[in-house]
Amino acid sequence: MFPPSPKQAFLVLNSGSSSIKFSVFEKTSDDVLTMILTGQLTGIGTDAQFSVKGAKGETLAKESWAERDTGAIAPLLQSLIAWITDRLPDTPLAAAGHRVVHGGRRFVHPVQVTPQVILDLESLIPLAPLHQPQNVSAIRVLAETFHDLPQIACFDTAFHHSQPRRARSYALPRELTDRGLHRYGFHGLSYEYIARHMPSIAPEIAEGRIVVAHLGNGSSLCALHRGESVDTTMGFSALEGVPMGTRSGSIDPGVLIYLIREMGMGADELEHLLYQRSGLLGVSGISNDMRVLLESDSPDAAEAVDLFCFRVAKEIAALAASMGGIDALVFTAGIGEHSEPVRARICERLAWLGITLDATANARAEGLISQPGSLPVLVVPTNEEYMIARHTADLVALKNVA
């Protein structure tokens, strides 16, 4: 059903609780990967909507799939693959690559999915209860429906496996650390993409000490040295680190004990508070969208923006200390790539590091945005989808060679 071909298509899936983001990359005989389709299924379980754009951003499809929406993703994924194969009759679908949030201690590289891998991924659900179930569900559906389609699982935690033990450990009793209670880190696919592309973007600093700020609705930062992760702000869960759109970021554990003892909060209520009601939304009381907050004249919105920039700058300094210095700062992801005022405010707090932004370049938000003589500051768009497609294509090629 999915024969080998000099020209192949690779499906990339990022599955959430009520949405599935997808991309299709075409690989030619010279091993070049090009994204040819990107889209999403939203409103799954209520009123599924299907939309797709082409490589140039043109709309290829925008339609309701409500009649196919049973609340389960199986019929929707079947319809998605049918749509892709109809759209690309001369480019066979060679494999599907999945973003999987948590790989635990075992999965430190992308792997081809087997029945045992699926069971292992399901065993990691307690480590990422809000993301892992959806990731695994899509994998299981494709395994049951399209038996001949190879699947590759790519992990957000894997890139951080290179970190030294001191960066991964909490000061907990050793028996708890040995059970997996340590810092895993996330957004690894984004950081891996930046690390791989720095030699072509800025070869003079690519092997140096770089802090990458992945700032979006989910935000974290990573210290790269010689292209490897040596420290990061997220830890055991995607809650640690800087405040995010709706997540609290790091918080005194004593606050959590107080909420349990004095306010009677249970685990589910606490989880909802920290993941859904906090961060920019919680502080501002208005929105989790940085653009909305920057346009607002509310003092609470201003406080939320100021807190975010303060904490990001603080973490940049901390990561520089982890590496014993810093040779460059890179902004990426939604806020990092598109918010000129946020970058400016963060860098103003870091002037003592020798950072001076070029206002014109910062407004342009492309490449180097710092002045001559400054510590280099760059804006580098990330591409997690490409990273997943690359891993998927490479593993499929290795299997075919073997």
Side-chain angles (χ1 to χ4, degrees):
M1 184 177 179
F2 302 100
S5 169
K7 191 163 72 169
Q8 299 173 314
F10 293 90
L11 173 63
V12 172
L13 291 173
N14 183 356
S15 304
S17 58
S18 62
S19 66
I20 298 174
K21 296 178 181 178
F22 63 89
S23 299
V24 177
F25 286 77
E26 182 181 85
K27 177 187 171 185
T28 53
S29 55
D30 56 357
D31 200 34
V32 173
L33 280 171
T34 305
M35 191 184 74
I36 55 175
L37 301 172
T38 183
Q40 57 184 343
L41 277 160
T42 58
I44 298 173
T46 54
D47 180 20
Q49 300 294 313
F50 174 69
S51 60
V52 192
K53 292 184 177 180
K56 298 180 180 179
E58 72 278 18
T59 298
L60 301 178
K62 189 173 184 180
E63 55 197 51
S64 172
W65 279 12
E67 76 282 356
R68 314 177 198 197
D69 189 356
T70 63
I73 66 170
L76 298 175
L77 281 178
Q78 292 167 9
S79 295
L80 171 60
I81 290 183
W83 189 94
I84 292 170
T85 53
D86 287 344
R87 182 84 190 183
L88 306 171
D90 300 322
T91 307
L93 194 59
H98 297 263
R99 176 179 180 244
V100 179
V101 167
H102 219 299
R105 287 182 289 181
R106 175 183 172 186
F107 297 112
V108 298
H109 302 288
V111 296
Q112 181 160 351
V113 173
T114 65
Q116 183 58 53
V117 166
I118 293 176
L119 294 176
D120 291 341
L121 295 181
E122 288 176 335
S123 74
L124 297 173
I125 285 175
L127 298 181
L130 299 187
H131 301 91
Q132 197 86 351
Q134 289 77 34
N135 301 158
V136 179
S137 178
I139 292 173
R140 184 175 283 283
V141 165
L142 289 189
E144 294 171 350
T145 309
F146 300 98
H147 310 288
D148 299 330
L149 182 66
Q151 297 189 79
I152 306 299
C154 302
F155 304 96
D156 256 350
T157 53
F159 182 68
H160 300 298
H161 184 70
S162 58
Q163 291 181 5
R165 185 175 178 89
R166 62 177 177 270
R168 292 186 287 117
S169 297
Y170 292 114
L172 291 170
R174 191 170 294 276
E175 61 267 22
L176 294 178
T177 302
D178 292 341
R179 291 189 60 178
L181 272 70
H182 62 79
R183 307 183 75 250
Y184 292 95
F186 298 88
H187 292 140
L189 292 162
S190 174
Y191 295 127
E192 184 180 10
Y193 179 86
I194 300 296
R196 282 199 179 194
H197 285 78
M198 282 304 292
S200 62
I201 297 166
E204 69 281 3
I205 57 174
E207 294 296 304
R209 298 163 296 184
I210 302 171
V211 173
V212 182
H214 176 110
L215 307 180
N217 191 51
S219 295
S220 70
L221 295 93
C222 181
L224 297 178
H225 191 203
R226 299 189 180 95
E228 293 188 341
S229 173
V230 296
D231 198 359
T232 190
T233 57
M234 282 184 174
F236 178 76
S237 75
L239 280 173
E240 192 176 3
V242 299
M244 304 168 224
T246 61
R247 292 176 238 167
S248 64
S250 294
I251 189 170
D252 181 349
V255 172
L256 310 184
I257 296 171
Y258 177 88
L259 292 173
I260 293 169
R261 281 183 175 167
E262 303 301 324
M263 299 187 67
M265 283 193 177
D268 291 343
E269 190 177 3
L270 201 59
E271 182 178 74
H272 184 69
L273 169 70
L274 298 175
Y275 275 99
Q276 306 295 339
R277 293 176 50 208
S278 300
L280 295 176
L281 174 63
V283 177
S284 71
I286 296 172
S287 176
N288 64 322
D289 191 323
M290 180 62 76
R291 293 166 296 185
V292 173
L293 300 183
L294 288 169
E295 293 171 358
S296 173
D297 58 3
S298 163
D300 292 339
E303 182 181 351
V305 174
D306 184 57
L307 176 60
F308 179 83
C309 295
F310 171 79
R311 291 281 295 275
V312 170
K314 185 177 177 181
E315 292 292 353
I316 290 169
L319 292 176
S322 292
M323 296 185 289
I326 180 172
D327 299 312
L329 171 63
V330 172
F331 288 100
T332 194
I335 297 172
E337 294 173 27
H338 302 296
S339 185
E340 171 193 354
V342 168
R343 291 192 301 267
R345 294 187 194 189
I346 291 169
C347 289
E348 283 171 11
R349 289 192 168 276
L350 297 170
W352 59 275
L353 278 176
I355 290 178
T356 309
L357 288 191
D358 180 319
T360 302
N362 188 35
R364 190 173 63 246
E366 182 179 326
L368 188 69
I369 62 170
S370 52
Q371 293 185 13
S374 166
L375 182 87
V377 181
L378 300 93
V379 175
V380 180
T382 192
N383 195 334
E384 294 160 294
E385 292 80 11
Y386 173 85
M387 207 68 253
I388 295 169
R390 183 74 270 169
H391 284 309
T392 302
D394 290 347
L395 280 181
V396 169
L398 281 173
K399 182 186 177 186
N400 290 339
V401 169

